Amino acid sequence: MKTRKNLFIALEGIDGSGKSTQTKLLTEQLTAQGHKVYSTFEPTNNQIGKLIRDILRGNTKADHRVIAGLFVADRLDHLLNEEYGIVKKLEEGYTVIMDRYLFSSYAYQGAHMDIDWVIQANAMSAQILRPDVNIFIDVSPEVSMHRVHTNRENVELFETLDGLKLVRSKYMEAFEKLKDVEYVFSVDGNRTPGLIAQDIWQKVQSMLGQ
Ligand code: TMP
């Protein structure tokens, strides 16, 4: 049973869903209310995360199964590292906001291999720390595609319309499979950042009992 007062929140969504903007806004709002907030992301900026980004950009070649394994390792290090591990941050009373966590692996790696294998491979991380809430910013792949191509120079491995549609469908599949153990709150991401932020803020406030 959860005894912490500080929350562990994961933001999820396909590329271009506006997760990073929402992570930033939520961090600012919680900080303004006096919470200690640690906001972070996966793939991380640590050694394994850097290798993953290199692969996603196409600079280093790796099989999808290897990528799945690297995400497992990056995540465990992100949780357990003695210096920056989020298990420790939560113990220190920080509210932790993660830009992507377990469901990103289920959706993205699950698009290329058996989703149950991906869930199993991540079982250790899930056992160590499940988010108090997974906030899914649900944006249509068409809207996302438009945003990704107008805002970015690098189009990564999964960023084609069919790729985004497949990833969204895998998110849905994973939510259904894990509905008994994971708490998912879905928000309509096809709106302005301000409106999306309002929904997220309301949910977080209600979880904090405010
Ligand atoms: P970003 O745009 O949120 O930084 O996403 C980095 C990419 O990493 C994005 O295309 C999704 C991908 N990814 C996975 O494939 N599996 C994972 O477990 C995570 C965390 C990210």
Side-chain angles (χ1 to χ4, degrees):
M1 209 179 95
K2 179 175 174 287
T3 50
R4 279 183 282 112
K5 282 218 183 75
N6 47 324
L7 297 176
F8 174 37
I9 301 167
L11 272 88
E12 294 284 356
I14 62 175
D15 301 77
S17 59
K19 278 177 304 80
S20 308
T21 305
Q22 295 303 326
T23 302
K24 188 167 162 277
L25 293 173
L26 183 57
T27 302
E28 285 168 6
Q29 281 168 307
L30 284 166
T31 307
Q33 269 206 351
H35 294 272
K36 290 198 321 182
V37 185
Y38 181 70
S39 85
T40 180
F41 50 85
E42 292 186 355
T44 67
N45 254 345
N46 307 314
Q47 290 297 88
I48 305 166
K50 280 183 186 154
L51 173 56
I52 293 173
R53 286 185 191 280
D54 215 45
I55 294 167
L56 295 183
R57 284 193 202 102
N59 297 335
T60 300
K61 283 229 177 319
D63 187 273
H64 288 300
R65 288 161 289 190
V66 175
I67 301 177
L70 289 172
F71 274 113
V72 169
D74 187 40
R75 182 160 297 132
L76 283 167
D77 180 53
H78 199 192
L79 291 172
L80 299 172
N81 192 284
E82 286 180 8
E83 191 189 322
Y84 48 74
I86 63 176
V87 167
K88 186 164 154 249
K89 297 284 179 196
L90 283 165
E91 281 167 9
E92 288 169 355
Y94 284 91
T95 286
V96 175
I97 306 176
M98 289 271 271
D99 183 341
R100 296 196 182 283
Y101 188 47
L102 291 164
F103 275 104
S104 285
S105 276
Y106 307 154
Y108 285 81
Q109 278 60 64
H112 298 286
M113 65 186 79
D114 179 16
I115 194 167
D116 291 319
W117 185 91
V118 184
I119 293 172
Q120 274 310 311
N122 279 281
M124 182 76 80
S125 294
Q127 192 192 339
I128 296 169
L129 217 46
R130 278 192 202 281
D132 296 303
V133 60
N134 295 278
I135 297 175
F136 181 60
I137 305 178
D138 192 12
V139 67
S140 86
E142 286 78 9
V143 170
S144 149
M145 197 64 194
H146 181 72
R147 289 184 190 163
V148 165
H149 285 272
T150 39
N151 296 339
R152 295 234 216 111
E153 284 171 16
N154 288 331
V155 176
E156 295 187 356
L157 212 60
F158 301 101
E159 295 173 345
T160 62
L161 185 56
D162 283 347
L164 293 169
K165 282 183 180 166
L166 179 61
V167 171
R168 184 179 176 279
S169 77
K170 291 290 165 182
Y171 264 116
M172 296 305 161
E173 190 180 331
F175 294 152
E176 181 57 30
K177 270 183 189 290
L178 297 167
K179 63 175 188 257
D180 293 336
V181 285
E182 292 276 2
Y183 180 43
V184 178
F185 175 70
S186 201
V187 295
D188 176 0
N190 301 304
R191 299 170 301 158
T192 61
L195 288 174
I196 299 171
Q198 261 178 26
D199 284 2
I200 294 176
W201 185 234
Q202 247 180 23
K203 169 54 62 183
V204 171
Q205 290 285 89
S206 76
M207 293 185 71
L208 287 166
Q210 284 161 355

